[in-house]
Amino acid sequence: MPKKAFITGITGQDGSYLAELLLAKGYEVHGLVRRTSTFNRWRIDHLGPEGPGGPALHLHYGDMAEGSSLARLLARIQPDEVYHLAAQSHVRVSFDMPEYTTDIVATGTVRLLEAIREVGLRPRFYQAASSEMFGRAVETPQRETTPFHPRSPYACAKVHAYWITVNYREAYGLFACNGILFNHESPRRGENFVTRKITRAVARIAAGQQRQLALGNLEARRDWGYAREYVEAMWLMLQQPAPDDYVIATGETHSVREFLEVAFAHAGLDWREHVVSDPRHYRPAEVDVLVGDASKAQRVLGWRARTRFAELARLMVDADRAWLADPAAPEPVPAT
């Protein structure tokens, strides 16, 4: 019998890549989707029913705001592995919607863990933690032992989700892991996140469909990796003999300004002619620098980032330019 995996947030960037990975490994994949007035499943449409997912991919309506629906689904599916990726994940938006963000990110994690416990299941559980938890970091680079200093409602909610996952591991013996993933991008990144906002604008400006791009803090520095590789680390965490928490990162930090330089230059453009600073895009509390130390993941999981910063930026620009010309164009994949 194939292993069963349950993914919350399957329609997002990470969820779609993880579903691809698990299907390729022969899993039966079940995904949680919210019922909305419009469909937002473009990241997984290629997986089924005619795609590689076929009958092994199953989507179920539910919501992180409703614990009873989560419990019913878990009881029916009986998953071997649970990957919890669902969240209100936009940091700037979390300042405008702190209650909703906390309910979905923090309390939603409690609902899912409690549903697992009440149904009496013993799956291996992955919780998507975030480098934003480090916030005003007290050491550089940040590692698993670095204290948290969250600087947004989103980051505060992720700290709660992190510690409740640790608590269920220690209190109930659940095989539960936190993956502290630093920024990870791809052509499937949401269009309101800065990297995708940049590469989409590059494509439109190069095509004469847009003139300017408004951004916030250009000096913010992040550790940017490729999301397709980061989901491999999620799976590896749940294959270990014992549960633990891991930082997943490239070990390099680059500014938004540097991302602009690489992305615009790849299309033969000068970013300084098109980018303007807009105070509306600044956060009330900024996080200036994040960079991760993934040596534990490399040592224990055998995982390391392969796609470097400039290659990632160029890959995303190529995808957005191709998709602008032809929405059916395939997503580029870097050589490994």
Side-chain angles (χ1 to χ4, degrees):
M1 291 290 291
K3 282 187 177 181
K4 294 181 182 180
F6 179 60
I7 305 173
T8 71
I10 193 171
T11 59
Q13 169 188 253
D14 293 6
S16 66
Y17 284 126
L18 179 62
E20 285 180 351
L21 176 70
L22 297 178
L23 289 167
K25 292 183 178 295
Y27 279 66
E28 180 180 308
V29 176
H30 296 258
L32 183 73
V33 294
R34 288 184 297 155
R35 184 177 289 278
T36 60
S37 58
T38 58
F39 283 109
N40 182 28
R41 302 181 186 174
W42 64 271
R43 296 179 181 89
I44 58 172
D45 280 341
H46 65 290
L47 293 178
E50 303 302 327
L57 177 64
H58 309 268
L59 302 180
H60 308 270
Y61 284 115
D63 201 297
M64 296 310 301
E66 186 184 11
S68 59
S69 66
L70 296 174
R72 286 194 299 271
L73 283 174
L74 289 167
R76 186 192 320 161
I77 298 166
Q78 298 281 309
D80 300 290
E81 297 173 3
V82 174
Y83 295 87
H84 178 36
L85 312 180
Q88 189 303 98
S89 57
H90 197 282
V91 176
R92 179 61 188 86
V93 171
S94 76
F95 286 98
D96 300 323
M97 305 175 66
E99 293 180 39
Y100 176 77
T101 300
T102 301
D103 183 50
I104 298 303
V105 176
T107 310
T109 304
V110 177
R111 293 187 185 105
L112 183 56
L113 286 165
E114 191 62 8
I116 290 172
R117 190 179 71 86
E118 288 189 350
V119 173
L121 301 179
R122 304 296 293 178
R124 297 190 169 205
F125 179 83
Y126 172 85
Q127 149 66 15
S130 169
S131 61
E132 289 287 332
M133 300 187 303
F134 296 120
R136 183 179 286 171
V138 299
E139 64 178 356
T140 299
Q142 294 86 51
R143 50 184 62 87
E144 291 81 4
T145 56
T146 302
F148 301 138
H149 187 151
R151 298 270 286 169
S152 67
Y154 168 78
C156 291
K158 279 295 186 182
V159 170
H160 184 285
Y162 172 94
W163 283 116
I164 198 66
T165 299
V166 172
N167 180 252
Y168 271 68
R169 181 169 73 210
E170 296 177 350
Y172 303 115
L174 183 66
F175 191 109
C177 301
N178 283 293
I180 309 174
L181 272 58
F182 280 65
N183 291 60
H184 45 292
E185 318 299 314
S186 77
R188 300 183 194 176
R189 191 59 144 147
E191 294 173 1
N192 57 347
F193 288 83
V194 66
T195 53
R196 183 76 197 290
K197 191 174 181 180
I198 290 170
T199 61
R200 188 169 182 268
V202 169
R204 291 176 59 82
I205 290 169
Q209 298 181 12
Q210 183 175 331
R211 294 189 63 186
Q212 284 192 329
L213 170 64
L215 296 176
N217 182 12
L218 304 188
E219 305 310 321
R221 302 182 67 86
R222 294 292 185 271
D223 184 327
W224 277 307
Y226 186 27
R228 183 187 292 272
E229 297 169 0
Y230 281 42
V231 301
E232 298 171 7
M234 300 177 188
W235 178 78
L236 286 168
M237 290 180 208
L238 299 197
Q239 312 313 308
Q240 302 308 305
D244 207 344
D245 308 318
Y246 299 88
V247 162
I248 303 299
T250 70
E252 298 180 6
T253 185
H254 298 273
S255 68
V256 175
R257 186 183 301 273
E258 289 176 80
F259 196 96
L260 284 166
E261 291 171 351
V262 174
F264 274 81
H266 190 51
L269 299 168
D270 185 343
W271 70 271
R272 292 167 294 187
E273 297 177 0
H274 303 282
V275 177
V276 296
S277 179
D278 188 336
R280 292 177 299 176
H281 296 291
Y282 279 76
R283 303 176 186 179
E286 286 286 346
V287 174
D288 296 322
V289 181
L290 291 175
V291 56
D293 176 1
S295 57
K296 177 180 175 181
Q298 181 175 337
R299 183 179 68 255
V300 178
L301 306 179
W303 181 93
R304 68 174 63 186
R306 302 184 298 275
T307 303
R308 312 319 296 182
F309 171 77
E311 182 183 9
L312 175 63
R314 290 191 290 264
L315 180 152
M316 293 175 65
V317 169
D318 288 342
D320 273 317
R321 296 191 74 180
W323 289 345
L324 190 63
D326 177 10
E331 178 181 331
V333 178
T336 56

